[in-house]
Amino acid sequence: IYFVYLGIIIRQIKVMSRTRDFIQQELINLIADKQRNGIDLPELSNDRILAIVDSIVFDYTTRTHQETSLPEMIEWNLNQNLLHA
């Protein structure tokens, strides 16, 4: 039973890692799109981008997905981070 449970945890970690990578790439794409559209954004450090990704992952895993789509959640988190920084 222990090994089965450990295998499930390892699979969840791998899925979460891929999810974080996907969310990070989507966030970077959103930032690039905003800049291409002439929206002036402050320079965002890697640490700040990773903190935004952490916030998105937290929201994504703790809230019901029926309320908000992932792209909306990414944009909302970016906007909140920029407003409160």
Side-chain angles (χ1 to χ4, degrees):
I1 295 174
Y2 174 75
F3 291 110
V4 171
Y5 183 68
L6 184 59
I8 291 170
I9 291 174
I10 290 171
R11 267 193 303 262
Q12 288 175 335
I13 291 170
K14 287 180 181 178
V15 167
M16 200 61 201
S17 177
R18 280 184 253 145
T19 301
R20 286 181 55 78
D21 291 345
F22 175 78
I23 289 172
Q24 182 175 347
Q25 189 57 53
E26 290 298 305
L27 176 60
I28 291 168
N29 291 343
L30 176 61
I31 292 167
D33 287 344
K34 286 181 175 287
Q35 290 173 333
R36 274 193 296 273
N37 289 326
I39 297 172
D40 190 28
L41 297 174
E43 188 170 326
L44 300 172
S45 68
N46 288 337
D47 290 340
R48 189 164 173 192
I49 288 173
L50 292 176
I52 297 170
V53 170
D54 287 341
S55 178
I56 296 164
V57 169
F58 176 80
D59 286 348
Y60 187 72
T61 57
T62 59
R63 295 184 181 179
T64 60
H65 306 294
Q66 299 165 349
E67 296 175 10
T68 308
S69 70
L70 182 58
E72 291 171 332
M73 196 176 293
I74 292 170
E75 183 152 12
W76 185 85
N77 273 276
L78 173 61
N79 292 336
Q80 290 300 304
N81 184 278
L82 294 174
L83 285 173
H84 301 289

